[in-house]
Amino acid sequence: MNRTGRNSLTIAALLIGLGLESAVAATDSGVAPPPLSLKSITINDAALHTRYREAPFAFGTFSLSNHGVTDMLLRGITSPGCNSVTSNRNSQVAIQSPRQTYDIFQRMAVPHEGTLVFPTSGYHLICHGLKVPYQAGSKLDFTFHFQDVGDVTASFVMQPIVEEKHVGP
């Protein structure tokens, strides 16, 4: 093989080696995760409940799904129809003030390809200071705020009142 042929092979080997180094470097450093997208978030079975007429609060049940391949971080939930929105657990007193309880919705990881369910019997949201009349069949919007992604709004349907004695003030 002549000198020109050897130089061409050397340059080709060098370029191939650089390409492999780049591929290995990309693998070692990790590929950038896919961009976060609100399209991968769904909120289903969104319902509001209360246990007595003229209640100053309502509690919300729902399921939150992340169909994407990257975990997302929920940074809070708000609603124009509530003074504040926090989390509550069935064993807590439903009317305690937002400052008296830890709000799991302020920093909640929503796992990729996963669904979180918030039923009345476990953790659910509480709308403190309900600003609208509670009317079965009406809807109230809640906005879920995700870090670095944006907001998703879901309409919660007010369910028929299930009156319970000795509940509330």
Side-chain angles (χ1 to χ4, degrees):
M1 182 176 280
N2 66 22
R3 188 168 203 215
T4 306
R6 263 185 291 186
N7 286 344
S8 295
L9 284 175
T10 303
I11 291 171
L14 180 62
L15 291 174
I16 289 171
L18 288 174
L20 288 175
E21 271 184 28
S22 298
V24 169
T27 302
D28 290 343
S29 67
V31 177
L36 298 173
S37 172
L38 289 177
K39 292 179 183 177
S40 63
I41 294 291
T42 57
I43 299 164
N44 294 308
D45 306 317
L48 278 179
H49 310 267
T50 192
R51 293 191 175 121
Y52 66 98
R53 296 198 186 285
E54 306 304 322
F57 67 91
F59 57 97
T61 57
F62 60 99
S63 64
L64 173 61
S65 298
N66 177 358
H67 305 284
V69 295
T70 305
D71 295 352
M72 291 199 189
L73 185 62
L74 179 63
R75 295 300 304 209
I77 303 172
T78 59
S79 174
C82 308
N83 285 333
S84 65
V85 178
T86 64
S87 63
N88 194 55
R89 191 179 50 203
N90 192 33
S91 62
Q92 291 175 312
V93 175
I95 60 171
Q96 71 190 115
S97 80
R99 290 178 293 284
Q100 292 175 316
T101 184
Y102 173 70
D103 183 9
I104 64 171
F105 300 129
Q106 290 299 313
R107 191 168 177 84
M108 173 178 280
V110 183
H112 64 284
E113 299 176 355
T115 297
L116 303 173
V117 179
F118 300 93
T120 56
S121 61
Y123 277 101
H124 48 271
L125 70 78
I126 290 285
C127 166
H128 297 273
L130 187 60
K131 296 178 181 179
V132 297
Y134 191 94
Q135 181 70 36
S138 294
K139 294 181 181 182
L140 184 59
D141 287 344
F142 286 81
T143 302
F144 292 67
H145 307 282
F146 292 91
Q147 182 171 309
D148 299 328
V149 185
D151 301 335
V152 174
T153 299
S155 292
F156 281 60
V157 179
M158 295 179 184
Q159 302 301 302
I161 296 171
V162 177
E163 297 247 2
E164 291 184 16
K165 293 182 184 202
H166 310 296
V167 175

